[in-house]
Amino acid sequence: MSYGSDDRRMQAEPGTEGLNRSTMVNTPKIRMRGVRKAFGPKRVLDGVDLDVAAGQGVVILGGSGSGKSVTIKCILGLITPDEGIIEIDGVDVLKLPRREREALGDRIGMLFQNGALFDSLPVWENVCFKLLAQNRITRAKARDRAAEVLAQVGLAETVGDLSPAELSGGMQKRVALARAIAAQPDIIFFDEPTTGLDPIMGAVIDGLIVDCVKRLGATAVSITHDMASARRIGETAAMIHKGRIVWTGPAGNLGHSGNAMVDQFANGLREGPIQMELRR
Amino acid sequence: MAAILLDPLAAIGRATLGACRAVGDVALFALEGVSHLVRPPFYGRLFWHAFVEVAWFSLPVVALTAVFTGMVLALQSYTGFARFNAQSAIASVVVISLVRELGPVLAALMVAGRIGASFAAEIGTMRVTDQIDALTTLSTNPMKYLVAPRLLAATLALPLLVLVADVLGVMGGWLIGTLKLGFVSAAYLKSTFDFLQTGDVISGLVKAAAFGFIIALMGTWCGYRSKGGAQGVGGATTAAVVASSILILALDYVLTEIFFAQ
């Protein structure tokens, strides 16, 4: 069943009318060039360059405070970078008018680190929030759609009537995943999808992410510092350090990439080029 | 030495700049919130939910405040006016004081404590748990979804609450006047209605609408701009109540000048 996004995918994106099909094929789904962002005196992004091909699963790795979350918040439009280019399907989203930028959000799904479920709404309304907010579906149909998507993430239909506060951490993550995929986006972001979960539940969530992304044929960008999770959900990995992408390569090579920073990070070594800023 | 002398000046300068920034930010926030009231989509369910929260669930606290205020006003007026044999003016003093000033101001202060704090805490929690960012990623404008319905609901609900407060406050004065001070019921009520003018009621209702807007504005603004987890939300809640209370009293003076200055 389609809820509008497939139809929209067939249409030309704003500003791409002049691009022919071969250009579209070669254009990265997401392209970042020289993206910089500072908060006061602290420079968080210092010239991020990143290409994500359509349908690819990319994992951005990095320590705490390295700029992972800010990177995806810049792509999502939650933070405006100080300079640089961010393109989605070849369109510079930073130059889009506000309305078109908001429309672009219809094709994007996001799973937040803590779920960010709306605690004033039952689970089923959380799952179909975007469809209901845009009047793309009636409330009766939204219930059915929520049950369908909850089943895809391994949750019973009865969960739909619960409040998010009544769910365990793992169930909240699954509901958040269901919400991210309910409107059938073609780009999905995952912010630390396994943080706070036990290893088994982490593996379950990773499996669900891989299945859902494959089913939708979506482009997935995840940020994590969980190496096991990175290997499971990513085809390509990118390492960010001090606000710059310092390495990209196959996620399977993590730990033996040949890049000293990546190998130190992936193997959790104390000694290496990455020095944690500790105050004594 | 110069640094010691300049430090307090620098602090005053920083505070002034901060205050100017905050005033500008509140003004822009209010404009954006109001602009979403006239641009679709409209969230009728959210408006209704907020309206019921403000109007219906604040009713008990506003009603009790109004009744006791009317009772105290009648008693205090009696003790004062009895010295000049002017007890007959008590009914008119009670009704004018309540309808013009005490009804709108006390109802607004009670609602500021209840609703302003609740708006700030709810939106602040949404801010620090990424729920507001989640709204944006779900193609929903947070100003339209969270702020506009609350602004409208509080602006429309406060006048209704104040109408109820006016009636109950007068009833409180009448109860004391007839049961304790020995007034004849019909004479007390006649005196009440003889002195009350339509302009008194309208000015009170206009004040109430303005106070409702201020309460919702400060509650949503403080919540929306909150940072830093539980402590930030607590700070936002306190700031919302304090700011809206002060603004209510200041605006009351301004509106009184506009309505009643000779």
Side-chain angles (χ1 to χ4, degrees), chain B residues 29 120 123-124 127 132 136 141-143 146-147 219-226:
Chain B
F29 187 87
I123 295 177
R127 167 62 73 199
I132 293 183
T136 306
N141 188 313
M143 289 293 291
L146 296 174
V147 178
T220 51
W221 180 75
C222 291
Y224 207 86
R225 297 283 185 253
S226 66

Short mmCIF file of all heavy atoms in Angstrom, two decimals, chain B residues 29 120 123-124 127 132 136 141-143 146-147 219-226:
data_model
loop_
_atom_site.label_atom_id
_atom_site.label_comp_id
_atom_site.label_asym_id
_atom_site.label_seq_id
_atom_site.Cartn_x
_atom_site.Cartn_y
_atom_site.Cartn_z
N PHE B 29 8.41 35.87 18.28
CA PHE B 29 7.74 34.61 18.60
C PHE B 29 6.22 34.82 18.57
O PHE B 29 5.49 34.01 17.99
CB PHE B 29 8.21 34.16 19.98
CG PHE B 29 7.74 32.81 20.41
CD1 PHE B 29 8.45 31.67 20.08
CD2 PHE B 29 6.59 32.67 21.18
CE1 PHE B 29 8.03 30.42 20.49
CE2 PHE B 29 6.17 31.42 21.60
CZ PHE B 29 6.88 30.29 21.25
N ALA B 120 4.62 25.79 29.86
CA ALA B 120 6.09 25.85 29.84
C ALA B 120 6.70 24.49 30.12
O ALA B 120 7.65 24.07 29.45
CB ALA B 120 6.58 26.87 30.86
N ILE B 123 5.95 22.01 26.99
CA ILE B 123 6.73 22.33 25.78
C ILE B 123 8.23 22.23 26.09
O ILE B 123 9.01 21.79 25.26
CB ILE B 123 6.33 23.71 25.23
CG1 ILE B 123 4.87 23.65 24.76
CG2 ILE B 123 7.23 24.13 24.09
CD1 ILE B 123 4.31 24.96 24.27
N GLY B 124 8.61 22.64 27.31
CA GLY B 124 10.03 22.53 27.69
C GLY B 124 10.50 21.09 27.69
O GLY B 124 11.59 20.78 27.21
N ARG B 127 10.98 20.02 24.27
CA ARG B 127 12.23 20.57 23.71
C ARG B 127 13.43 19.72 24.12
O ARG B 127 14.24 19.35 23.29
CB ARG B 127 12.38 22.02 24.17
CG ARG B 127 13.73 22.64 23.96
CD ARG B 127 14.13 22.72 22.50
NE ARG B 127 13.39 23.74 21.77
CZ ARG B 127 13.28 23.77 20.44
NH1 ARG B 127 13.86 22.84 19.69
NH2 ARG B 127 12.61 24.72 19.84
N ILE B 132 10.30 18.31 19.87
CA ILE B 132 10.03 19.44 18.96
C ILE B 132 10.79 19.24 17.66
O ILE B 132 10.25 19.48 16.57
CB ILE B 132 10.38 20.78 19.66
CG1 ILE B 132 9.38 21.00 20.81
CG2 ILE B 132 10.33 21.95 18.66
CD1 ILE B 132 9.54 22.30 21.55
N THR B 136 9.37 18.66 13.61
CA THR B 136 9.90 19.23 12.36
C THR B 136 10.18 18.13 11.35
O THR B 136 9.85 18.26 10.17
CB THR B 136 11.17 20.03 12.65
OG1 THR B 136 10.88 20.99 13.67
CG2 THR B 136 11.68 20.76 11.42
N ASN B 141 5.02 22.02 11.52
CA ASN B 141 5.63 23.23 12.07
C ASN B 141 5.32 23.30 13.58
O ASN B 141 4.14 23.39 13.96
CB ASN B 141 5.07 24.46 11.36
CG ASN B 141 5.80 25.72 11.75
OD1 ASN B 141 6.04 25.96 12.92
ND2 ASN B 141 6.18 26.51 10.77
N PRO B 142 6.34 23.27 14.43
CA PRO B 142 6.07 23.26 15.88
C PRO B 142 5.34 24.51 16.36
O PRO B 142 4.55 24.44 17.30
CB PRO B 142 7.47 23.19 16.51
CG PRO B 142 8.38 22.75 15.44
CD PRO B 142 7.78 23.19 14.15
N MET B 143 5.59 25.65 15.71
CA MET B 143 4.89 26.88 16.12
C MET B 143 3.39 26.73 15.86
O MET B 143 2.56 27.15 16.65
CB MET B 143 5.43 28.08 15.36
CG MET B 143 6.82 28.51 15.75
SD MET B 143 6.93 29.15 17.43
CE MET B 143 6.05 30.68 17.29
N LEU B 146 2.16 23.64 18.33
CA LEU B 146 2.24 23.77 19.79
C LEU B 146 1.83 25.16 20.29
O LEU B 146 1.25 25.27 21.37
CB LEU B 146 3.68 23.50 20.27
CG LEU B 146 4.22 22.10 20.05
CD1 LEU B 146 5.69 22.04 20.43
CD2 LEU B 146 3.43 21.10 20.87
N VAL B 147 2.18 26.19 19.54
CA VAL B 147 2.03 27.54 20.06
C VAL B 147 0.68 28.17 19.66
O VAL B 147 -0.07 28.64 20.53
CB VAL B 147 3.21 28.43 19.60
CG1 VAL B 147 3.05 29.86 20.09
CG2 VAL B 147 4.52 27.85 20.10
N GLY B 219 4.17 31.28 28.58
CA GLY B 219 4.29 29.83 28.84
C GLY B 219 4.93 29.11 27.68
O GLY B 219 5.87 28.32 27.85
N THR B 220 4.43 29.38 26.48
CA THR B 220 4.96 28.68 25.31
C THR B 220 6.38 29.16 24.98
O THR B 220 7.24 28.35 24.64
CB THR B 220 4.06 28.87 24.08
OG1 THR B 220 3.80 30.26 23.90
CG2 THR B 220 2.74 28.15 24.24
N TRP B 221 6.62 30.45 25.12
CA TRP B 221 7.96 30.98 24.78
C TRP B 221 9.02 30.41 25.74
O TRP B 221 10.07 29.94 25.29
CB TRP B 221 7.96 32.51 24.83
CG TRP B 221 9.30 33.11 24.49
CD1 TRP B 221 9.86 33.20 23.25
CD2 TRP B 221 10.26 33.67 25.39
NE1 TRP B 221 11.09 33.80 23.32
CE2 TRP B 221 11.36 34.10 24.63
CE3 TRP B 221 10.27 33.86 26.77
CZ2 TRP B 221 12.48 34.70 25.20
CZ3 TRP B 221 11.39 34.47 27.33
CH2 TRP B 221 12.48 34.88 26.55
N CYS B 222 8.73 30.47 27.04
CA CYS B 222 9.71 29.95 28.00
C CYS B 222 9.95 28.46 27.77
O CYS B 222 11.08 27.99 27.85
CB CYS B 222 9.24 30.19 29.44
SG CYS B 222 9.26 31.92 29.90
N GLY B 223 8.89 27.71 27.49
CA GLY B 223 9.06 26.28 27.23
C GLY B 223 9.84 26.04 25.96
O GLY B 223 10.77 25.21 25.92
N TYR B 224 9.49 26.77 24.92
CA TYR B 224 10.11 26.58 23.60
C TYR B 224 11.61 26.87 23.64
O TYR B 224 12.39 26.25 22.94
CB TYR B 224 9.43 27.51 22.60
CG TYR B 224 9.47 27.04 21.17
CD1 TYR B 224 8.49 26.17 20.69
CD2 TYR B 224 10.46 27.46 20.30
CE1 TYR B 224 8.51 25.74 19.38
CE2 TYR B 224 10.48 27.03 18.99
CZ TYR B 224 9.51 26.18 18.53
OH TYR B 224 9.55 25.75 17.23
N ARG B 225 11.99 27.84 24.45
CA ARG B 225 13.40 28.24 24.50
C ARG B 225 14.16 27.55 25.62
O ARG B 225 15.31 27.90 25.89
CB ARG B 225 13.51 29.76 24.71
CG ARG B 225 12.93 30.57 23.56
CD ARG B 225 13.86 30.60 22.37
NE ARG B 225 13.36 31.47 21.32
CZ ARG B 225 12.84 31.03 20.17
NH1 ARG B 225 12.75 29.74 19.93
NH2 ARG B 225 12.43 31.89 19.25
N SER B 226 13.54 26.60 26.31
CA SER B 226 14.23 25.97 27.45
C SER B 226 15.35 25.07 26.95
O SER B 226 15.32 24.55 25.85
CB SER B 226 13.25 25.20 28.33
OG SER B 226 12.74 24.12 27.62
#
